[in-house]
Every structure is written in structure tokens, then in C-alpha cells.
Amino acid sequence: HSITYVGHDTFKDCTSLQAINVANGNSIYYSVDGVLFFKNSYMGTIELFKYPEGRVDRSYTVPDSVSVISHKALYHSYKLQEVKLSDSVQTIDYTAFQGCKNLESIDFGNGLQTIEGNSFMYCSKLKSLDIPETLSKLETSSFLFCESLESITVAEGNSRFFSDGVGLYE
């Protein structure tokens, strides 16, 4: 329980890794069902830090305590087809879901404020987006190479974005 730093690339391309377990008593990192979380005391946030690339789950629901999906958190999680964010998630960091080539749907929840650049790059099976009312920042490169993306809807009440069903406008 003495580990105090794990880099974002520490488990990159570990395609057989199915679980990351942290010993009880670590004040910075913890794991739930093999998924690694980071207690960012500087920002006062809980971050989903790394979802192991080798997990075989087809769907994943982010726990309620999480407010940030970290850089490369679900990077190359090839098996995932659907993800549901809790309403507590406010930020999806850059490249968080990059290369999730079988991801077909994502439920952003009702608290998401920011989607950073390249977040969903190469999520080639992502079909539709439902932008929540709370989203106020979306980097233009967030959905690069999402060639199956067919529809985008924006929740009524979003003062920043609107959609005609296909395009997203600011």
C-alpha cells in the first residue's frame, strides 16, 4: 500500500490485463472489481484511472463517486460495447476512450460538463450521441474517426449546443 504514483501509460497495451488490485490502506489509489481509481487530493476529485484493457465485460457502469474519466482510462478497451456514466461524472479527459473500437453506445449521464480532445478517437462503432443539458465544453477533435456516428441529439435546455439530428453546432 505504499505506491504513491502510477503514470497514465503504466498499463498501456497490456491487452491481457483483466484486473488491477490495490492493497487496503493506500491513501491515493483504490480498486473496485479490478478497476483502478485515483483520489486526486489536489483537485478534490475521484478519477476512474484505468479500466484494464483485457477485461471481457461488454458493458461497464461508472460508479457514483467518480467525477473524472482520466486520460487513457479506457484506452483500447476492445471488448466494451456500452458504457454508462453516473451523474457525478463532470469531465472526460483527452484520449479517455480512444481506440475502444467496439464501443457502440455511451450514456453520458446528467452531469457531464467537459469532453476533452480525442476522447473517443477511433471508436469506430459508436453510432449515436445524446448530449446532456449540462455539457458546456466539447473539443472539436473529440470524435475523430468515429465513422459509424449517424446521429447526435442535444438535450433541451443545453444553452451551448444544438443539433439538427446529424450535426452538432455551438
Side-chain angles (χ1 to χ4, degrees), residues 3-23:
I3 291 177
T4 59
Y5 176 77
V6 177
H8 288 283
D9 286 329
T10 301
F11 302 106
K12 182 183 171 199
D13 297 325
C14 294
T15 57
S16 296
L17 184 64
Q18 294 186 20
I20 301 167
N21 297 306
V22 178

Side-chain angles (χ1 to χ4, degrees), residues 100-105 122-127 148-149:
C100 291
K101 64 183 182 181
N102 289 307
L103 185 65
E104 294 177 5
S105 69
Y122 298 113
C123 292
S124 55
K125 290 190 179 177
L126 192 59
K127 296 176 183 174
S148 296
L149 193 56

Side-chain angles (χ1 to χ4, degrees), residues 23 43 64 68 74 85 91 95 99 103-104 107 115 124 127 129 150 167-168:
M43 299 297 290
D64 287 335
V68 176
L74 292 102
L85 305 184
T91 303
T95 69
L103 185 65
E104 294 177 5
D107 180 340
I115 300 176
S124 55
K127 296 176 183 174
L129 298 174
E150 296 174 351
L168 180 65

